[in-house]
Amino acid sequence: LKDQFDNLDKHTQWGIDFLEKYAKFVKERIEIEQNYAKQLRNLVKKYCPKRSPKDEEPRFTSCIAFFNILNELNDYAGQREVVAEEMGHRVYGELMRYSHDLKTERKMHLQEGRKAQQYLDMCWKQMDNSKKKFERECREAEKAQQSYERLDNDTNATKADVEKAKQQLNLRTHMADENKNEYAAQLQNFNGEQHKHYYIVIPQIYKQLQEMDERRTIKLSECYKGFADSERKVIPIISKCLEGMILAAKSVDEHRDSQLVIDCFKSGFEPPGDFPFEDYSQNIYRTISDGTISTPKQEGMRIDSKTTVGKAKGKLWLFGKKPKPQSPPLTPTSLYTSSTPNGSQYPIFSIEPVHYCMSDIKTGKPRIPSFRSLKRGWSVKMGPALEDFSHLPPEQRRKKLQQRIDELNRELQKETDQKDALIKMKDVYEKNPQMGDPSSLQPKLTETMSNMDRLRMEIHKNEAWLSEVEGKVAARSDRRHSSDINHLVTQGRESPEGSYTDDANQEVRSPPQQHAHPNEFDDEFEDDDPLPAIGHCKAIYPFDGHNEGTLAMKEGEILYIIEEDKGDGWTRARRHNGEEGYVPTSYIDVTLEKNSKGA
């Protein structure tokens, strides 16, 4: 390969071109992965449910499974993005950096080879010039020798001409000897440089080019492996995503979905009874003797069939008019449940027992079943929110006040730090007057002190309101606890204000408190009878409920909903034993009952 410098130049250039071609391939693959991930995310976003916070969560297992599949698909799209990012960082970026370094190294080696070739060419030119000069001086010396010999043999030539020709011969001979020595030196130098060029310089340059090309091949091999590793690293996570999709598919329960549909649309009404037989032939039989058997005329039969069909059409209530059932006499049992021929019972709306109403009349105590709703109506009419948040429920008011106190404390801390900084700066100015005037800081310091006093007053005022709210909440909790001892709250039955339950055999009414002191009238406006249950919920996650006013719950526990989320992320719930409190809305699966929501 000593004389294949140009071919090696072409080969190394081809290697760099191939490297850049593979880099372009990786770049296009990255773009495909990114577009694929983007399209998958858009697809997930398109089919994800777009619900407002008031909408119910999906309840059917098929819908939940589909949403889980969408989540897994979104994670799968994220893994495709990871593949693209890994390829871009580990493969494409490395290839582009190495290609730049490779071009620089190749350019340097080729320049060294060209310089060595140019130096060898220069040595050859010098040797060739000395050779031509030596050849020319030898011809001149031969001519001088011939001229001297001719004059020396010529008898007519003068001694001076012979002497001059002799001197010229000596001069040419001397110059020929000098050029001979120079030519010999140049020839020796050229031979040495040529040997060095072909046996040392060029082989070294070729070896460097070979190592460079081999490193390029190794780098391509590493990039091939990194290209595959980028895909292989995400295979376990992608497998988990696919397993999640399979688990979501297995979680579909057709019986549960059917039961949800039944629970959602069941009405509790009794099936229609049998239609009575209407005998239209009585008038005909009256005109016939007792011992005679005859058939009615064809005309009469035709007329009766039309009449019968017309009446029957008005009675098919499944596809036409609904018959008006006879209302049975009102009894306490019929007011609570109704039975079907097969023995099953359906709950219907109940009324207050008579003795319950009479007990209220005997006590003479005004019974306001839902004064909280009246207070909410007032707060809506009042327009803007009050400064002490008295328009909010106690727990929400306590949270708002606590948030405001925390904000005021942060502002007070900032003002305190600013005051300390101003005092330090004032001391520095007093010690070093050339740095500034201490009196210039006095207005700012006075303003800071005024802001601190104002913030302390605000904090004191809000803390007073907070202590008032906490005292009321504690008192109401104590009274509610004492009231719950005398009330038996059963699971799945009707609340005092009209919501019903599923078990008719567990209906127990708690008698009202018949003895009350006159000074408890004001407390009745705050602590009235328990709010009606407007639905139920299931705890998705456990909640400790350490803070005052909150309700602890376990995962899977069923609670009654007595107050919806007002936008602050908390829902008011009640246990079966009557314990009430606020729980995080995101921790529960809420199901509102339509027939008890307006009670």
Side-chain angles (χ1 to χ4, degrees), residues 33 36-37 40-41 72-86 230-241:
E33 291 288 347
Y36 180 48
L40 286 178
R41 290 194 182 276
E72 296 293 344
L73 187 61
N74 191 42
D75 296 340
Y76 177 80
Q79 295 307 310
R80 304 317 307 179
E81 292 177 349
V82 171
V83 171
E85 183 179 357
E86 185 72 13
S230 301
E231 186 85 18
R232 187 174 60 181
K233 284 182 180 179
V234 300
I235 287 178
I237 303 178
I238 291 177
S239 299
K240 290 182 180 179
C241 294

Side-chain angles (χ1 to χ4, degrees), residues 111-262:
Q111 286 179 353
E112 290 178 356
R114 292 189 180 94
K115 286 181 180 179
Q117 187 66 36
Q118 290 175 1
Y119 179 72
L120 184 63
D121 293 340
M122 181 186 69
C123 293
W124 181 82
K125 288 181 180 179
Q126 291 178 355
M127 185 271 297
D128 188 61
N129 291 333
S130 61
K131 178 182 177 182
K132 291 178 180 179
K133 189 175 181 181
F134 171 63
E135 183 181 4
R136 185 174 60 253
E137 290 297 334
C138 287
R139 285 197 297 268
E140 292 294 334
E142 289 177 358
K143 291 180 181 180
Q145 185 176 2
Q146 292 176 1
S147 176
Y148 171 72
E149 291 177 353
R150 186 179 66 252
L151 292 175
D152 188 29
N153 294 328
D154 189 5
T155 56
N156 297 324
T158 62
K159 188 177 181 180
D161 293 336
V162 174
E163 190 66 24
K164 183 177 179 181
K166 185 178 180 180
Q167 291 179 357
Q168 186 69 24
L169 175 61
N170 293 332
L171 178 62
R172 292 295 179 184
T173 303
H174 178 71
M175 291 180 66
D177 292 337
E178 289 182 355
N179 287 317
K180 179 181 179 180
N181 294 332
E182 184 180 358
Y183 168 66
Q186 292 294 336
L187 180 61
Q188 184 179 3
N189 182 41
F190 173 75
N191 290 332
E193 293 296 335
Q194 184 177 5
H195 183 274
K196 180 180 178 181
H197 176 79
Y198 284 107
Y199 288 94
I200 298 176
V201 178
I202 290 298
Q204 185 177 0
I205 294 174
Y206 286 175
K207 184 178 180 180
Q208 292 174 352
L209 289 174
Q210 179 182 356
E211 292 175 354
M212 180 193 72
D213 194 66
E214 290 176 353
R215 289 198 306 270
R216 176 190 63 83
T217 307
I218 294 173
K219 178 60 69 174
L220 280 174
S221 176
E222 293 176 354
C223 291
Y224 294 159
K225 183 179 178 181
F227 185 83
D229 288 340
S230 301
E231 186 85 18
R232 187 174 60 181
K233 284 182 180 179
V234 300
I235 287 178
I237 303 178
I238 291 177
S239 299
K240 290 182 180 179
C241 294
L242 298 177
E243 290 176 1
M245 294 181 185
I246 295 174
L247 292 177
K250 292 181 179 180
S251 66
V252 176
D253 188 356
E254 66 277 8
H255 301 293
R256 182 179 177 184
D257 289 351
S258 300
Q259 189 62 37
L260 287 174
V261 175
I262 294 171

